[in-house]
Amino acid sequence: MFELGVCYYPEQWPEHMWQQDAQRMVELGLSWVRVGEFAWSLLEEEEGVFDWAWLDRAVDILGTAGLKVVMCTPSAAPPKWLVDQHPDILPVAADGQVRKFGARRHYCFSSDVYREHAVRIAAEYAKRYGANPFVQAWQIDNEYGDHDTIHSYSENAKKAFQRWLAVRYQTIEALNEAWGTAFWSMKYNRFDQVELPNGLVEEPSPTHLLDYQRFASDEVVRFNRAQVDVVRKYAPGRPVTHNFMGHNVDFDHYKVGDDLDFASWDSYPMGALVHSGMDDQEKARLLRTGMPDQPAFNNDLYRRIGQGRAWIMEQQPGPVNWAEHNQSPHDGMVRLWTWLAFAHGIDVVCYFRWRQSRFAQEQFHAGLLLPNDDADQAYYEVAQVAKEMAVLPSGIADRAPARVALVLDYASRWAAGSLPQGADYSSARNMMNWYQALSARGVDVDIVGPQDDMAAYDLVILPDVILEDGDLAEKLALSKAKIYLSARTGSKTQNMHIPDHLPPGEFARLVNVKVKRVESLPDYCGDHIELDGQNYPVGNWRECIESDEAILARFKSDHRDQSPALVGNDKCWYGAANFSGALLDVLVDKLLLWAGVPAVQLNADVRITQRGELHFAFNFGDRMAEIDVPAEAEILLGQAKVAPRDLVIWRI
């Protein structure tokens, strides 16, 4: 069942407004309301002294009105008295500066003292509301990674990192071997000599940096799990989530998701566009719609993180306050994003926030209501969605597995950052380029991790799996899928060494390739790839490979004309460059044909997808789009001629 909700902060508004707010939420068609994530200092003004009365009343008012409450543990914003008692809970930035109290996310994941207090307050919350019939779900903390807060360089973090290394390597000799400390006289004699990888004269050993990122990720998993465990103890039977951030890869979301009942994420397409790597011309074209595929990609990713269950916990309702520029979405986009989320398997969409704040840091962040209680544009669009939901048939199926999968490996993302070999190399951009190219052909995509089962897919693409992985290579070899390996696949061992037999390391069992040399190239390099008789410019990354596989495309340049750019066999192809733009489009067409996956040519601003028996088409553009709806189809919402920023839903 698809439902709508909202984020609400009763502590920020006079109590006499709560009843009316709850009634308006229900009248609007909302079912869920999220509360409590920033309320610690108001509930516990000093250690052990609690005032639950106001939150008790708020929960009772909201629940009595007919709303289901998502209760959040408040550890994202520790109170001032706790910071004053234990200043070493504060995180330390890479430049050595202590990050002070006065905003949020001011804690270090490696502080044992803070973890104990976070678990303590989570337990108090869960004891108070675990059996409350109105509290139907729980959120742990808020937006891990926001404001670059996964990586702390505190003394607590250093000691925890040293302990983590001792467990990982067992002996200091093994660490020295893995880190290559014979280079530049970096040898260690004891684990307690190891420093954190900040403030060095030059960059650290890439293995040092990768291990620190692995450690930092494990600290998030440990922190989250401790709260999940105590909430489950005192609130049995209630589902537990965390609201992830789109495109944050500072920790392993799969591992955090393993401890949750469903994943949720915070969707802000306007800010995502402004901060994207798109050129200014394309940003201008999409300024008030956002990238068509950014929210869809994250919906698919977090559906996987939640093992099939996902919400949007914060949906942008208008301009935000935190991006470099904060444009307003076109009228109709909030409705479109909501239906897009449902189409991609999201179960609940909650809007952030109910009412725009009159004070503090987020005054410019829109809500469903203006500060004076007038309805803002999103309010009317949510009301429209709530009414339109009545057209949905009962018993809507979950989104079926796709025929194409993209493999996202968090450790490989960290590896790319540890040794980028080019200022403009971006694993995130590579992944999104592939997702966009596939979506533009009407192809649904699953995002999977290296640990996942690949057996049922027709095509599996590895855009940026830099770390060699023998288990994954074997799994792919045994699958029925056709495989595409992008440049840099398997280019480093798990210890960030060049594989003994050269890249792609263990993945060479799929395709006989040896990478002899790599180049990171500027846009003006002038190299081209010839594919099917056409020349396409190539830049960013190029490899010189040796292979006896069939040559499917060649480089054309002044210094190494005709060297292989794409080789392969009946099971696996290997690309020796970062294919992008028109070249990637041609490659995707060839891959889909090779794998037997049907595709269509869509209007550039149209996306189609399917959930169960329902088919969806979304028009992100400024012009009417004609959709090829089958004659036998029953149109449930909209029409085949889709207006700008509108959609059509049909079933066959």
Side-chain angles (χ1 to χ4, degrees):
M1 181 179 179
F2 185 47
E3 297 179 292
L4 306 177
V6 72
C7 305
Y8 185 51
Y9 300 91
E11 68 271 25
Q12 297 177 13
W13 302 99
E15 189 166 342
H16 68 80
M17 300 176 70
W18 298 355
Q19 184 71 52
Q20 181 181 346
D21 283 343
Q23 291 172 350
R24 290 184 74 180
M25 290 175 194
V26 173
E27 291 167 0
L28 182 59
L30 305 181
S31 301
W32 288 91
V33 57
R34 184 188 72 164
V35 301
E37 76 267 31
F38 297 124
W40 191 344
S41 65
L42 301 176
L43 292 168
E44 188 181 20
E45 293 191 5
E46 58 182 280
E47 186 171 357
V49 179
F50 293 94
D51 176 12
W52 298 101
W54 68 268
L55 187 54
D56 289 348
R57 292 193 296 273
V59 168
D60 187 65
I61 288 170
L62 295 166
T64 301
L67 294 160
K68 293 174 284 189
V69 175
V70 180
M71 183 63 71
C72 305
T73 68
S75 52
K80 186 63 164 66
W81 60 259
L82 181 55
V83 172
D84 289 344
Q85 285 181 18
H86 303 284
D88 64 342
I89 72 173
L90 293 171
V92 176
D95 63 2
Q97 180 71 42
V98 175
R99 305 182 77 173
K100 298 186 293 185
F101 177 88
R104 57 178 174 172
R105 300 224 54 81
H106 44 282
Y107 68 83
C108 174
F109 283 99
S110 297
S111 169
D112 291 337
V113 169
Y114 187 63
R115 189 181 308 106
E116 291 169 2
H117 276 279
V119 170
R120 180 185 62 80
I121 191 64
E124 295 292 345
Y125 263 63
K127 289 174 185 177
R128 189 79 181 185
Y129 301 109
N132 189 302
F134 300 139
V135 177
Q136 292 292 306
W138 287 80
Q139 176 187 300
I140 305 298
D141 204 278
N142 184 78
E143 293 186 334
Y144 294 142
D146 194 18
H147 309 301
D148 189 25
T149 50
I150 297 300
H151 303 130
S152 176
Y153 301 88
S154 67
E155 189 65 21
N156 284 325
K158 184 174 79 170
K159 291 177 179 177
F161 183 44
Q162 291 167 348
R163 293 192 297 268
W164 184 92
L165 292 170
V167 172
R168 179 176 179 83
Y169 290 106
Q170 299 295 303
T171 68
I172 198 65
E173 290 78 16
L175 179 144
N176 282 316
E177 176 66 23
W179 287 19
T181 58
F183 194 78
W184 284 352
S185 188
M186 298 184 297
K187 181 182 177 182
Y188 298 98
N189 297 320
R190 304 183 312 275
F191 287 107
D192 63 8
Q193 291 179 325
V194 178
E195 298 283 352
L196 296 171
N198 65 312
L200 281 64
V201 173
E202 201 167 339
E203 68 270 9
S205 159
T207 321
H208 185 174
L209 187 52
L210 177 57
D211 274 346
Y212 170 72
Q213 292 168 308
R214 285 169 167 152
F215 151 77
S217 176
D218 285 352
E219 293 290 86
V220 178
V221 174
R222 185 163 66 117
F223 181 89
N224 181 78
R225 182 177 297 151
Q227 290 197 53
V228 169
D229 288 347
V230 77
V231 168
R232 290 199 198 284
K233 178 179 178 180
Y234 295 111
R238 300 291 196 267
V240 181
T241 191
H242 170 76
N243 58 326
F244 297 89
M245 297 171 61
H247 296 300
N248 178 280
V249 294
D250 290 343
F251 62 98
D252 190 326
H253 295 190
Y254 299 122
K255 290 184 178 179
V256 172
D258 287 344
D259 292 325
L260 304 174
D261 296 298
F262 66 96
S264 53
W265 75 285
D266 296 349
S267 176
Y268 292 97
M270 298 286 91
L273 173 74
V274 169
H275 292 165
S276 76
M278 284 184 169
D279 62 45
D280 288 348
Q281 183 176 359
E282 187 67 358
K283 285 183 180 181
R285 191 179 76 83
L286 298 172
L287 184 65
R288 291 186 170 84
T289 61
M291 295 178 287
D293 301 302
Q294 185 269 345
F297 172 87
N298 283 285
N299 289 331
D300 290 340
L301 170 62
Y302 289 107
R303 194 179 69 252
R304 161 57 191 89
I305 300 300
Q307 302 164 76
R309 300 262 67 90
W311 294 16
I312 291 178
M313 195 61 80
E314 296 183 13
Q315 174 59 62
Q316 175 174 2
V320 298
N321 66 295
W322 46 263
E324 292 178 1
H325 304 283
N326 295 289
Q327 71 276 23
S328 177
H330 272 300
D331 291 354
M333 286 308 303
V334 173
R335 170 178 173 263
L336 187 151
W337 290 327
T338 303
W339 279 116
L340 182 75
F342 170 69
H344 281 264
I346 298 297
D347 298 319
V348 177
V349 173
C350 292
Y351 303 92
F352 186 89
R353 50 192 282 163
W354 174 244
R355 184 185 291 106
Q356 183 178 350
S357 179
R358 292 194 300 243
F359 50 80
Q361 286 92 326
E362 294 182 352
Q363 296 179 51
F364 285 113
H365 197 304
L368 298 185
L369 301 180
L370 296 170
N372 69 346
D373 267 3
D374 287 350
D376 205 348
Q377 171 63 25
Y379 184 96
Y380 300 109
E381 295 184 31
V382 173
Q384 183 177 352
V385 172
K387 291 178 181 178
E388 291 170 342
M389 286 164 54
V391 308
L392 297 178
S394 60
I396 300 165
D398 292 335
R399 192 169 162 96
R403 297 178 63 179
V404 178
L406 291 172
V407 181
L408 193 162
D409 175 32
Y410 285 95
S412 285
R413 291 287 181 92
W414 309 331
S418 299
L419 203 63
Q421 188 59 12
D424 61 347
Y425 186 86
S426 170
S427 295
R429 183 172 64 241
N430 293 344
M431 176 71 79
M432 185 54 68
N433 285 345
W434 278 99
Y435 187 90
Q436 288 174 326
L438 290 161
S439 296
R441 281 149 184 78
V443 175
D444 285 335
V445 178
D446 285 346
I447 311 300
V448 299
Q451 70 275 24
D452 291 335
D453 184 6
M454 312 282 175
Y457 292 105
D458 295 311
L459 176 63
V460 177
I461 297 167
L462 281 63
D464 62 342
V465 180
I466 287 173
L467 297 176
E468 69 171 349
D469 185 331
D471 291 341
L472 175 57
E474 180 68 13
K475 192 185 304 182
L476 293 172
L478 295 174
S479 75
K480 70 169 187 175
K482 305 292 187 183
I483 312 299
Y484 179 80
L485 307 178
S486 291
R488 298 196 75 173
T489 298
S491 58
K492 301 298 172 192
T493 68
Q494 291 290 323
N495 285 331
M496 287 298 289
H497 297 189
I498 296 173
D500 289 343
H501 301 291
L502 300 182
E506 296 279 358
F507 294 103
R509 73 180 69 179
L510 297 167
V511 58
N512 186 17
V513 168
K514 283 187 177 180
V515 179
K516 295 297 192 73
R517 179 177 293 179
V518 302
E519 299 178 281
S520 58
L521 299 170
D523 292 338
Y524 53 81
C525 72
D527 288 5
H528 289 76
I529 289 178
E530 183 181 30
L531 179 61
D532 293 342
Q534 298 292 319
N535 288 337
Y536 300 91
V538 64
N540 184 254
W541 192 268
R542 172 177 172 169
E543 297 175 347
C544 177
I545 65 173
E546 179 183 280
S547 177
D548 59 5
E549 304 282 12
I551 297 175
L552 307 175
R554 295 182 182 272
F555 289 110
K556 297 190 71 175
S557 64
D558 293 337
H559 69 297
R560 278 200 306 279
D561 197 30
Q562 300 299 301
S563 62
L566 179 67
V567 300
N569 53 48
D570 189 53
K571 177 66 175 178
C572 181
W573 292 3
Y574 185 93
N578 274 349
F579 288 59
S580 61
L583 176 60
L584 179 59
D585 291 338
V586 174
L587 176 59
V588 165
D589 287 336
K590 293 176 74 67
L591 287 169
L592 294 172
L593 181 64
W594 177 49
V597 177
V600 295
Q601 286 299 124
L602 296 172
N603 177 314
D605 293 317
V606 170
R607 295 293 183 267
I608 63 173
T609 192
Q610 184 175 351
R611 177 175 179 171
E613 64 178 341
L614 302 184
H615 298 254
F616 302 77
F618 298 90
N619 181 9
F620 288 82
D622 290 323
R623 298 181 180 180
M624 188 80 69
E626 183 84 38
I627 305 300
D628 185 17
V629 177
E632 68 274 21
E634 175 192 6
I635 293 180
L636 301 175
L637 181 65
Q639 53 189 356
K641 290 185 177 179
V642 183
R645 296 170 291 280
D646 206 342
L647 67 143
V648 59
I649 305 175
W650 71 93
R651 65 176 172 181
I652 299 176

